[in-house]
Short mmCIF file of all heavy atoms in Angstrom, two decimals:
data_model
loop_
_atom_site.label_atom_id
_atom_site.label_comp_id
_atom_site.label_asym_id
_atom_site.label_seq_id
_atom_site.Cartn_x
_atom_site.Cartn_y
_atom_site.Cartn_z
N ASP A 157 135.70 106.88 134.85
CA ASP A 157 135.17 106.57 136.17
C ASP A 157 133.74 107.06 136.38
O ASP A 157 133.04 106.57 137.27
CB ASP A 157 136.06 107.17 137.26
CG ASP A 157 137.40 106.47 137.37
OD1 ASP A 157 137.55 105.39 136.78
OD2 ASP A 157 138.29 107.00 138.06
N ASP A 158 133.30 108.03 135.58
CA ASP A 158 131.98 108.61 135.84
C ASP A 158 130.84 107.92 135.09
O ASP A 158 129.69 108.31 135.23
CB ASP A 158 131.97 110.11 135.52
CG ASP A 158 132.35 110.42 134.08
OD1 ASP A 158 132.93 109.54 133.42
OD2 ASP A 158 132.07 111.56 133.63
N VAL A 159 131.14 106.89 134.30
CA VAL A 159 130.06 106.18 133.61
C VAL A 159 129.42 105.18 134.59
O VAL A 159 130.13 104.45 135.29
CB VAL A 159 130.57 105.46 132.35
CG1 VAL A 159 131.61 104.40 132.69
CG2 VAL A 159 129.39 104.81 131.59
N PRO A 160 128.09 105.13 134.68
CA PRO A 160 127.45 104.14 135.55
C PRO A 160 127.73 102.72 135.04
O PRO A 160 127.39 102.38 133.90
CB PRO A 160 125.96 104.48 135.43
CG PRO A 160 125.91 105.88 134.92
CD PRO A 160 127.11 106.03 134.04
N LEU A 161 128.34 101.91 135.86
CA LEU A 161 128.74 100.58 135.41
C LEU A 161 127.55 99.66 135.18
O LEU A 161 127.65 98.71 134.41
CB LEU A 161 129.71 99.95 136.43
CG LEU A 161 131.09 100.63 136.48
CD1 LEU A 161 131.93 100.04 137.60
CD2 LEU A 161 131.81 100.50 135.15
N GLU A 162 126.40 99.96 135.82
CA GLU A 162 125.21 99.14 135.56
C GLU A 162 124.65 99.40 134.17
O GLU A 162 123.78 98.67 133.70
CB GLU A 162 124.14 99.39 136.63
CG GLU A 162 123.60 100.79 136.68
CD GLU A 162 124.33 101.66 137.68
OE1 GLU A 162 125.52 101.40 137.95
OE2 GLU A 162 123.70 102.60 138.22
N ILE A 163 125.13 100.42 133.49
CA ILE A 163 124.79 100.68 132.09
C ILE A 163 125.97 100.29 131.19
O ILE A 163 125.80 99.68 130.14
CB ILE A 163 124.40 102.15 131.88
CG1 ILE A 163 123.11 102.45 132.64
CG2 ILE A 163 124.23 102.47 130.40
CD1 ILE A 163 122.71 103.91 132.65
N ALA A 164 127.17 100.61 131.64
CA ALA A 164 128.36 100.33 130.85
C ALA A 164 128.56 98.85 130.58
O ALA A 164 129.20 98.47 129.59
CB ALA A 164 129.60 100.89 131.56
N CYS A 165 127.99 97.98 131.42
CA CYS A 165 128.16 96.53 131.21
C CYS A 165 127.63 96.10 129.84
O CYS A 165 128.12 95.14 129.25
CB CYS A 165 127.48 95.74 132.32
SG CYS A 165 125.68 95.90 132.43
N LEU A 166 126.64 96.83 129.29
CA LEU A 166 126.09 96.45 127.99
C LEU A 166 127.07 96.65 126.85
O LEU A 166 126.89 96.11 125.76
CB LEU A 166 124.80 97.24 127.72
CG LEU A 166 123.66 97.04 128.71
CD1 LEU A 166 122.40 97.74 128.22
CD2 LEU A 166 123.37 95.56 128.93
N PHE A 167 128.14 97.42 127.11
CA PHE A 167 129.16 97.60 126.09
C PHE A 167 130.09 96.39 126.00
O PHE A 167 130.95 96.32 125.14
CB PHE A 167 129.99 98.87 126.36
CG PHE A 167 129.22 100.14 126.13
CD1 PHE A 167 128.59 100.78 127.19
CD2 PHE A 167 129.13 100.69 124.88
CE1 PHE A 167 127.88 101.96 126.99
CE2 PHE A 167 128.43 101.87 124.66
CZ PHE A 167 127.79 102.50 125.72
N SER A 168 129.91 95.43 126.91
CA SER A 168 130.71 94.20 126.86
C SER A 168 130.35 93.35 125.66
O SER A 168 131.19 92.62 125.12
CB SER A 168 130.51 93.39 128.13
OG SER A 168 130.92 94.10 129.27
N CYS A 169 129.08 93.41 125.23
CA CYS A 169 128.64 92.55 124.13
C CYS A 169 127.56 93.21 123.28
O CYS A 169 127.81 93.63 122.15
CB CYS A 169 128.15 91.21 124.66
SG CYS A 169 127.58 90.05 123.39
N GLY A 170 126.34 93.33 123.81
CA GLY A 170 125.18 93.69 123.00
C GLY A 170 125.28 95.01 122.27
O GLY A 170 125.12 95.08 121.05
N VAL A 171 125.55 96.09 122.99
CA VAL A 171 125.61 97.41 122.37
C VAL A 171 126.78 97.50 121.41
O VAL A 171 126.65 98.01 120.28
CB VAL A 171 125.71 98.51 123.45
CG1 VAL A 171 125.99 99.87 122.82
CG2 VAL A 171 124.42 98.57 124.25
N THR A 172 127.92 97.01 121.82
CA THR A 172 129.12 97.05 120.98
C THR A 172 128.91 96.24 119.70
O THR A 172 129.32 96.65 118.61
CB THR A 172 130.32 96.52 121.77
OG1 THR A 172 130.54 97.37 122.89
CG2 THR A 172 131.57 96.50 120.92
N THR A 173 128.26 95.09 119.83
CA THR A 173 127.97 94.27 118.65
C THR A 173 127.09 95.02 117.67
O THR A 173 127.35 95.02 116.46
CB THR A 173 127.28 92.96 119.08
OG1 THR A 173 128.18 92.19 119.88
CG2 THR A 173 126.86 92.14 117.87
N GLY A 174 126.04 95.67 118.16
CA GLY A 174 125.13 96.39 117.28
C GLY A 174 125.79 97.57 116.60
O GLY A 174 125.70 97.72 115.37
N LEU A 175 126.46 98.41 117.37
CA LEU A 175 127.11 99.59 116.79
C LEU A 175 128.17 99.17 115.77
O LEU A 175 128.22 99.69 114.65
CB LEU A 175 127.76 100.42 117.90
CG LEU A 175 126.83 101.08 118.92
CD1 LEU A 175 127.65 101.77 120.00
CD2 LEU A 175 125.89 102.08 118.26
N GLY A 176 129.02 98.23 116.16
CA GLY A 176 130.11 97.82 115.28
C GLY A 176 129.65 97.11 114.03
O GLY A 176 130.27 97.24 112.97
N SER A 177 128.56 96.35 114.12
CA SER A 177 128.07 95.62 112.95
C SER A 177 127.64 96.57 111.84
O SER A 177 127.80 96.28 110.66
CB SER A 177 126.91 94.71 113.34
OG SER A 177 127.34 93.71 114.23
N VAL A 178 127.08 97.70 112.23
CA VAL A 178 126.64 98.70 111.24
C VAL A 178 127.81 99.54 110.77
O VAL A 178 128.04 99.72 109.57
CB VAL A 178 125.55 99.61 111.84
CG1 VAL A 178 125.21 100.74 110.88
CG2 VAL A 178 124.30 98.80 112.15
N ILE A 179 128.60 100.05 111.71
CA ILE A 179 129.65 101.00 111.37
C ILE A 179 130.89 100.30 110.81
O ILE A 179 131.44 100.73 109.78
CB ILE A 179 130.02 101.83 112.62
CG1 ILE A 179 128.81 102.65 113.08
CG2 ILE A 179 131.20 102.75 112.33
CD1 ILE A 179 128.99 103.31 114.44
N ASN A 180 131.33 99.21 111.45
CA ASN A 180 132.56 98.55 111.02
C ASN A 180 132.33 97.50 109.94
O ASN A 180 133.02 97.50 108.92
CB ASN A 180 133.24 97.87 112.22
CG ASN A 180 133.65 98.85 113.29
OD1 ASN A 180 133.84 100.03 113.04
ND2 ASN A 180 133.80 98.35 114.51
#
Side-chain angles (χ1 to χ4, degrees):
D157 290 348
D158 58 342
V159 62
L161 291 174
E162 63 266 28
I163 294 173
C165 64
L166 299 187
F167 289 95
S168 299
C169 180
V171 171
T172 298
T173 296
L175 295 175
S177 295
V178 173
I179 297 170
N180 298 337

